[in-house]
Amino acid sequence: MQRVIKTMIENFKRKTHCFIQLMEYCRKTLDRPASRSIKRLLGYVLGFLLFYAPFALFHRAAACLLNIESNLTIHSFCLRVPTAHLLDGKIFQLNLPVISLFLLSLSAFFLGPIFCGKLCPAGALTEYLSMLVPEKYKISWADHIPVLHVRYGFFLGFILSSFLGGHLACAYCNFYTFDLLINYIPFGQITAFSSSMLLTLILWILILGVFTKGGRGYCSFFCPVGTLQNIIYILGSRILPIHGRLSIIRTRCNGCGLCLLKCPMNAMSVNDNGIAEQNMHLCILCMNCADKCPSKAIRYTIGKNEGQPDVQKF
Amino acid sequence: MCRNFKGLAFISAASLPFLANWLNGPNSGCTGICGSCGGSCLTWIAACCSLLIYRINASLFKKYKNKLQEKEGKEG
């Protein structure tokens, strides 16, 4: 009997050792730059499966778990709807837009804008499409327009105009345009695209997308979800003692500026001391900079805040 | 002066959603230039116009600044 138990324990140990080795191999493989790019792409695919019909797994799960009504359109995951319902008190009811906004804010508060950098398929679409266009045909809007002023200005107008009623925000929403692109065009329902939606499509995909350096012009200027997350991210980094954020190891950084070139949001810069700096108003934690950094000076950490973060003034 | 341009960009961007509501609202009299869009086509046109105005102003300011510097250089 003892021999049998011993053999069983040895077998278990051997299997556990194999499992640990396998896990270690997986970790090493996933830590390779090429695998990290694939991992990032898989994140966006997951985002697509979670939020967009016909899959809309997030909507289905929420409806099932909380026993609430939900349609499978992207409108259920809308920032504007809760702001519009601030006055009539519907924001205090348990519905999907409010839950979505709460989860989004919570994640941004503790972990940073990970939704934009890891899950949002609408932003990723233009970023990946822009990789197909040669750099010489792309415009760096940040060199010509004050990005942060337009970003926060549009956000303020977006929030305030919600109280005026109507659903005009949908006409310039890239989430909704993407929804139409997936669910209507393949079925021949081209009339679903109104003239304004077509203009949004051109602006989002072409002018501020494919032909913009980094491919995330729309995210930089007009995305209210991203702006809200960045505000909460900055707030979290100032208030919380432990916070998830991008940290730059100053002793390792050699100021080569490769992170500047690879950042799709133009959120990186090199300061006078020759050290890379993150602009928390724009960073979406896509970790492109960390992947491309030759000296491994950039990483995402969840830990104690070392003093006040370097939030750039604008 | 540069600060004013940034302020102009902020106000222009903030006014865009309001402009959309106003131009496409029920009392605006907009019948829709390309059918019942119910959206913000005119807003995007307005946005492009404001961007153009901003760019023209910025380039004019740059020229003015260069001229001023040249003048100061000659006097100096």
Side-chain angles (χ1 to χ4, degrees), chain A residues 141 143-146 148-154 156-158 160-162 164-168 171-172 194-196 199-200 203 218 222 314, chain B residues 5-7 9-11 13-18 20-22 24-25 34-45 47-48 51 54-55:
Chain A
W141 291 105
D143 298 341
H144 306 287
I145 303 163
L148 290 179
H149 293 77
V150 175
R151 185 174 166 87
Y152 285 121
F154 187 79
L156 187 75
F158 185 83
L160 293 178
S161 68
S162 298
L164 298 176
H167 288 280
L168 297 174
Y172 43 81
S194 60
S195 53
S196 61
L199 279 167
T200 307
L203 196 80
Y218 203 94
F222 297 119
F314 79 98
Chain B
F5 280 119
K6 284 177 179 175
F10 183 84
I11 293 162
S15 64
L16 282 182
F18 286 100
N21 274 352
W22 179 63
N24 298 282
C34 335
S36 55
C37 68
S40 56
C41 51
L42 292 170
T43 311
W44 289 127
I45 296 163
C48 292
L51 192 72
Y54 171 75
R55 280 307 307 149

Side-chain angles (χ1 to χ4, degrees), chain B residues 2 7 15 18 22 26 39 46-49 53 65-67 70 74:
Chain B
C2 270
S15 64
F18 286 100
W22 179 63
C48 292
C49 290
I53 291 165
K65 204 178 165 187
N66 286 343
K67 268 188 181 176
E70 273 176 22
K74 276 178 187 174

Side-chain angles (χ1 to χ4, degrees), chain A residues 78-80 82-83 97 100-109 112-113 116 151-152 155-156 158-159 219 222-236 280-281 283:
Chain A
C78 179
L79 167 70
R80 189 194 164 275
T83 52
S100 312
L101 185 67
F102 176 73
L103 288 175
L104 197 79
S105 308
L106 203 71
S107 66
F109 192 60
C116 297
R151 185 174 166 87
Y152 285 121
F155 180 70
L156 187 75
F158 185 83
I159 295 292
C219 305
F222 297 119
C223 184
V225 179
T227 313
L228 179 84
Q229 282 193 93
N230 277 96
I231 292 168
I232 296 170
Y233 176 42
I234 294 167
L235 202 72
M280 288 179 89
H281 293 285
C283 181

Side-chain angles (χ1 to χ4, degrees), chain A residues 78-92:
Chain A
C78 179
L79 167 70
R80 189 194 164 275
V81 173
T83 52
H85 290 321
L86 265 172
L87 291 176
D88 59 16
K90 281 184 183 172
I91 199 158
F92 302 108

Side-chain angles (χ1 to χ4, degrees), chain A residues 109-110 233-247 280 301-310:
Chain A
F109 192 60
F110 288 102
Y233 176 42
I234 294 167
L235 202 72
S237 67
R238 283 187 177 270
I239 294 170
L240 293 171
I242 294 170
H243 186 249
R245 60 177 296 194
L246 193 85
S247 60
M280 288 179 89
T301 50
I302 300 174
K304 281 183 182 176
N305 276 329
E306 291 167 4
Q308 289 293 315
D310 305 324

